[in-house]
Amino acid sequence: MQRLKENRFVRSVLFSNGVIDLFAALALFFPVLKLPLPGYSSYTNILAFISGGWGIAALTFGIGRIYASFKPEFYWMMVILGLTEAILLVFYSLFNVFFLEISFLQAMLPLVIGIIYGLFYLVALLNLLRTDKLS
């Protein structure tokens, strides 16, 4: 069986995105802990519950990305998922700004992260395609 080659760029993208997911998870637990977040003066119990659930999801996905960054056999799947997530995050942020009256300031962080990691994942995908053709 052919040993899959490690790709430093893909590994860096997955690892760094996993770390960002861990920080996002931490921020999503703020409402549960009654800590203030920019743009939200108070939280309802429903918002705290939903935020905590998304925090758990972000935490596990971050751990998964960090783990996958050390496993070349997962590169393809994780890069395609990461690119899909980044594209959806950008469109979701823009949709909220234009149609749901969310301020651009509130949407700016996920929008910027989506754009940056969308580009990183696109380059990673092209890198994997190039490496695959050379093999």
Side-chain angles (χ1 to χ4, degrees):
M1 185 168 138
Q2 178 184 341
R3 172 105 169 108
L4 295 171
K5 188 175 180 188
E6 182 179 300
N7 185 312
R8 286 185 187 194
F9 181 75
V10 174
R11 183 179 186 176
S12 298
V13 170
L14 288 172
F15 189 87
S16 65
N17 197 191
V19 170
I20 287 176
D21 283 344
L22 295 180
F23 281 110
L26 183 66
L28 286 165
F29 283 113
F30 279 20
V32 177
L33 304 172
K34 303 292 185 204
L35 298 171
L37 273 174
Y40 298 96
S41 56
S42 64
Y43 310 112
T44 64
N45 288 338
I46 294 170
L47 178 63
F49 172 74
I50 292 171
S51 180
W54 279 108
I56 292 167
L59 178 71
T60 55
F61 208 68
I63 292 169
R65 281 191 178 151
I66 291 169
Y67 175 78
S69 73
F70 294 98
K71 301 288 185 183
E73 59 269 24
F74 296 131
Y75 284 178
W76 276 99
M77 178 183 65
M78 293 305 287
V79 166
I80 290 170
L81 284 173
L83 182 59
T84 303
E85 179 189 22
I87 291 168
L88 290 173
L89 185 59
V90 168
F91 283 121
Y92 181 73
S93 297
L94 291 173
F95 177 83
N96 278 285
V97 169
F98 292 119
F99 298 107
L100 300 179
E101 300 178 11
I102 300 295
S103 74
F104 185 73
L105 184 63
Q106 286 177 309
M108 195 164 50
L109 181 62
L111 184 62
V112 168
I113 289 173
I115 290 169
I116 290 171
Y117 273 93
L119 292 172
F120 283 164
Y121 279 116
L122 180 61
V123 171
L125 181 61
L126 294 173
N127 196 327
L128 287 174
L129 287 169
R130 181 184 57 85
T131 305
D132 213 26
K133 282 187 179 182
L134 294 176
S135 298

